[in-house]
Amino acid sequence: KEQGIDASDTEKVKKLRLRTRRNAYCLPSPTERSGSKMEQFWDATLARCPNRVKHLIRLDESGALLETPSREIVLNRKTQILDNCKDLRDVVRNCGKAKRASKFLAISLSIAKFVSLKLGQPSLMRPLLKMSSMSYTFAILFMVSKLADKLEKEYFFKYTDDYRRRDMKKIPEKIWIDR
């Protein structure tokens, strides 16, 4: 028994039918070999994690290891990263707060300007409600909102099949051997 794992369980993990992974990388290029070495490392390391062996055996018995997951599942940053990391969930939540706060401040500043035009400007608000300072403030609030939105979108699936098809068209045809 090694680190709470039965020797029989370790042997079962070594015998798992990982045909999908073995068939996926067949080229002798350095890139393919390095990926294969990484997978061998993860197979050897993850088998020692608590409860991982039993989970892998259940997946093997259900046939899940024989299926190749779709691109959407593999590349979906929300399910692969965001759902598993509390710190990144906090980042995404803070991005949402920053977007809402910047929009709220922009609306509040606009309302304050319109009210001051109707009622007259109080002396305390005069420097803030000048057009030059308002334009700078709006520009900063707009940039904060856009950057927060861009950062938030990075943690969700964005490389759809349409983007993939568009990118594939950019590759010259003479690269593909079968064309």
Side-chain angles (χ1 to χ4, degrees):
K1 199 167 181 174
E2 179 185 324
Q3 296 179 0
I5 299 172
D6 293 329
S8 63
D9 287 342
T10 306
E11 289 304 315
K12 286 180 186 177
V13 169
K14 288 179 183 176
K15 294 178 184 176
L16 291 177
R17 298 180 311 262
L18 299 172
R19 284 185 224 120
T20 304
R21 182 178 290 179
R22 289 186 189 127
N23 290 338
Y25 300 103
C26 58
L27 297 175
S29 70
T31 305
E32 303 294 333
R33 283 192 309 234
S34 63
S36 177
K37 292 287 185 192
M38 266 306 243
E39 289 168 357
Q40 289 172 1
F41 166 76
W42 284 118
D43 287 343
T45 305
L46 293 177
R48 295 187 196 118
C49 294
N51 297 325
R52 181 69 177 170
V53 172
K54 289 179 175 53
H55 182 67
L56 287 173
I57 291 170
R58 268 192 315 240
L59 286 174
D60 183 48
E61 289 169 353
S62 70
L65 295 177
L66 297 176
E67 298 172 6
T68 304
S70 67
R71 292 180 65 258
E72 286 77 16
I73 291 172
V74 174
L75 298 176
N76 190 345
R77 294 176 181 172
K78 182 184 182 309
T79 58
Q80 298 294 329
I81 301 170
L82 195 61
D83 291 346
N84 299 319
C85 183
K86 183 189 179 311
D87 293 333
L88 291 181
R89 286 192 301 267
D90 292 343
V91 167
V92 171
R93 188 184 69 242
N94 289 340
C95 285
K97 286 180 182 178
K99 287 191 315 187
R100 286 189 300 276
S102 62
K103 289 175 184 175
F104 175 76
L105 289 173
I107 291 170
S108 300
L109 190 60
S110 299
I111 291 172
K113 179 65 176 179
F114 291 126
V115 167
S116 70
L117 289 175
K118 294 289 183 185
L119 303 177
Q121 293 180 345
S123 59
L124 293 173
M125 297 291 286
R126 190 169 293 133
L128 180 62
L129 295 176
K130 287 191 330 189
M131 284 308 277
S132 60
S133 63
M134 280 188 65
S135 60
Y136 289 130
T137 306
F138 281 131
I140 290 171
L141 291 173
F142 178 76
M143 286 189 322
V144 166
S145 179
K146 282 296 181 189
L147 289 174
D149 186 51
K150 191 166 183 67
L151 181 62
E152 184 181 30
K153 286 181 180 177
E154 285 298 313
Y155 292 103
F156 295 94
F157 183 72
K158 61 181 187 174
Y159 197 71
T160 61
D161 284 332
D162 294 334
Y163 288 130
R164 184 174 184 271
R165 276 190 233 105
R166 186 192 65 212
D167 288 346
M168 293 297 281
K169 288 179 184 175
K170 294 177 186 175
I171 298 173
E173 298 226 0
K174 57 187 167 189
I175 289 179
W176 302 112
I177 295 171
D178 58 347
R179 287 188 186 177

